[in-house]
Amino acid sequence: MTSTSDDAARMAAKLVADGKGILAADETVPTLTRRFDTFGIESTEQSRRTYREMLFTSPGAAEFVSGIIMQDETIRQRSSGGPPLAEVLSGQGIVPGIKVDTGAKPLAGAAGETVSEGLDGLRDRLSEYGAMGARFAKWRAVIHIAEALPSRACVGANAHALARYAALCQEQHFVPIVEPEVLMDGSHTIERCEAVTGEVLQAVFDALFEQHVSLEVMLLKPNMVIAGKECARQASVEEIATATLRCLRRHVPPAVPGIVFLSGGQDDRAATAHLNAINRLPGPKPRKISFSYGRALQDSALEAWLGRDENLKAGQQAIHQRARCNSAASLGRYTDEMETRLTTGSPPHRSGWRDD
Ligand code: 13P
C-alpha cells in the first residue's frame, strides 16, 4: 500500500476503534421531512440544521461515536456559531462522512426492484466533499426479499455499483462504507434472510475483487440476519446473533477491518441487544463489529426534541444514552441496567420508512 492508502487504512481503523461506532445522520430532505411530520415538526432548512446540530454537539459524543455520515444539505450548512458543521465535527475528533449514492431507483426489467444510482460525476463530487472535510463515504444498495426476489439482475447490478463506488472512493482517498441492505420488510423467515444475505455478500465481494478494491481500506455495513417483520415466527436474540455471525464468517473476507451494522427498522433497544449478543458469541472474530445506526440512535432523540428549543438538552441526553449503550454493545458489555429510559413497546414511528 502507498502512504495515502496507509492513511486511508488508518482512517478505517479509527472509525472502528474500540468502543466506537458511526452515527448515520444522512437522511435526505424528503425522508427527514417525513420523520418530522410524524411529530408535527416543521421541516425547513433551519429546523433540519438545528436538529443535526443538536445531534452533532451532544456533549461527550466523541467518546462513543467515531464518525458521522451527513448528506449534501448538511455538509454545506454552517452551525449556529458560524463554522461549517463538518468543522464542528472534526473539532471534536469526530470524522465527517458523506452519503454519495443518489437513491434507489427502479431497475429496468426487474419489477419491484431497485438499483442505487449516483456513479455519474462521482469522482468530482468526492473531490468537492473532500475539500469540505469529508474523509469517508457511504453508498446504500437495497435488496427486497419476496417469493421470487431478489433477482440475479438486481443483486448483480447493485454489487457492481457498490464496487465501482468503492473503487472511486479509494482513488479519491476516502474510506468507502459498502452498504448492501437486505430489507426486513416482508414475511420471510430468518433462514431465508440468511440465504439471501449470504448470496448478496458473496456477489458484493466478487464485484469488489473485480474492481480492484482494497479490502483493508473499507468498512462493510450489512443488515443483521433477522426474520421479516411480518413473519409469524420471530427469532430470539441468540438466534439472530448466531445466524448473523455465521453468515458474516462465511461471506466476508477477514481482510475487511470492520463491520458496522445498519439498524434497518429494528426497535432501538433490540438493535443494541443484537449487537451485544453478536459480540459476546465465542469463536474467531477477525475484525471489529460495531454500529452505524440511523433510526436506532436517533429515534429517542427526535421524540425528546419535538422541534422545540427548550428540549434540545433532552434530545442530546437521549442520543448520548443510545450511543453509550451501543458503544458497550460493540464490546459485548451492554446490560439491561444501562437503560434508564422508561418506555414500554415501540412508538409508532419506530418501524418503517427509509427510502433513501
Ligand atoms: P438505519 O439504521 O435507520 O437503518 O439507517 C442506517 C443507514 O445509514 C441506512 O442507509
Side-chain angles (χ1 to χ4, degrees):
M1 279 191 286
T2 63
S3 67
T4 41
S5 59
D6 281 349
D7 288 348
R10 269 194 290 278
M11 180 59 71
K14 180 173 171 177
L15 288 168
V16 284
D18 278 347
K20 292 198 186 188
I22 294 169
L23 164 64
D26 59 334
E27 302 82 3
T28 57
V29 171
T31 293
L32 190 58
T33 299
R34 263 195 305 284
R35 291 200 190 159
F36 277 15
D37 284 349
T38 318
F39 295 101
I41 303 166
E42 198 190 352
S43 178
T44 62
E45 200 198 325
Q46 170 67 36
S47 67
R48 293 189 294 274
R49 187 198 74 176
T50 303
Y51 176 61
R52 257 75 190 240
E53 189 170 349
M54 173 184 85
L55 301 177
F56 295 5
T57 58
S58 159
E63 196 185 333
F64 311 121
V65 173
S66 55
I68 294 184
I69 313 172
M70 295 176 277
Q71 49 82 252
D72 188 75
E73 179 185 71
T74 316
I75 199 170
R76 296 177 191 282
Q77 284 176 323
R78 290 182 172 275
S79 61
S80 51
L85 285 172
E87 221 172 279
V88 169
L89 292 183
S90 28
Q92 300 173 78
I94 296 177
V95 185
I98 183 78
K99 165 193 174 73
V100 296
D101 67 80
T102 54
K105 306 285 161 57
L107 177 63
E113 300 193 288
T114 60
V115 62
S116 298
E117 296 189 349
L119 289 172
D120 287 352
L122 181 55
R123 177 177 279 121
D124 293 340
R125 285 197 291 132
L126 284 168
S127 149
E128 190 191 3
Y129 289 139
M132 294 176 191
R135 294 290 171 266
F136 72 104
K138 179 193 107 171
W139 179 291
R140 173 178 180 250
V142 183
I143 310 288
H144 295 260
I145 299 185
E147 210 176 312
L149 302 186
S151 68
R152 276 185 63 189
C154 170
V155 173
N158 278 293
H160 179 78
L162 277 166
R164 294 264 324 273
Y165 140 81
L168 276 163
C169 282
Q170 291 186 345
E171 181 202 86
Q172 296 297 313
H173 315 302
F174 274 65
V175 174
I177 295 190
V178 172
E179 181 181 8
E181 176 173 2
V182 177
L183 295 178
M184 282 169 69
D185 301 339
S187 56
H188 52 272
T189 60
I190 185 171
E191 290 81 9
R192 182 89 203 287
C193 179
E194 183 173 356
V196 171
T197 302
E199 265 173 50
V200 168
L201 290 174
Q202 196 68 44
V204 167
F205 281 98
D206 285 350
L208 290 168
F209 178 76
E210 214 164 271
Q211 298 299 325
H212 310 137
V213 172
S214 302
L215 300 186
E216 291 82 358
V217 189
M218 61 162 275
L219 299 176
L220 177 73
K221 176 163 171 166
N223 51 285
M224 291 181 189
V225 172
I226 233 165
K229 274 185 285 198
E230 279 87 50
C231 180
R233 199 185 82 77
Q234 290 296 316
S236 67
V237 172
E238 278 306 305
E239 280 176 287
I240 290 169
T242 303
T244 302
L245 194 59
R246 180 171 55 220
C247 189
L248 295 172
R249 278 189 186 138
R250 286 180 178 168
H251 299 285
V252 183
V256 176
I259 288 175
V260 286
F261 288 107
L262 57 92
S263 59
Q266 299 177 58
D267 169 79
D268 53 10
R269 288 198 198 186
T272 309
H274 293 151
L275 178 63
N276 191 56
I278 291 166
N279 276 304
R280 288 184 72 84
L281 282 175
K285 292 191 203 77
R287 63 199 134 233
K288 299 293 183 55
I289 301 182
S290 191
F291 59 91
S292 174
Y293 293 158
R295 285 163 284 183
L297 281 171
Q298 292 183 49
D299 278 350
S300 55
L302 180 57
E303 199 178 346
W305 173 54
L306 292 176
R308 300 194 194 122
D309 283 352
E310 64 271 27
N311 295 339
L312 283 168
K313 198 164 163 225
Q316 291 190 325
Q317 283 167 346
I319 190 158
H320 187 267
Q321 165 68 359
R322 294 286 9 113
R324 179 173 158 267
C325 290
N326 283 302
S327 162
S330 74
L331 300 167
R333 295 186 197 145
Y334 168 67
T335 58
D336 281 348
E337 289 69 51
M338 292 182 72
E339 297 290 0
T340 53
R341 200 160 45 87
L342 296 173
T343 53
T344 46
S346 306
H349 66 286
R350 290 278 161 82
S351 55
W353 30 258
R354 169 144 199 147
D355 57 8
D356 48 21

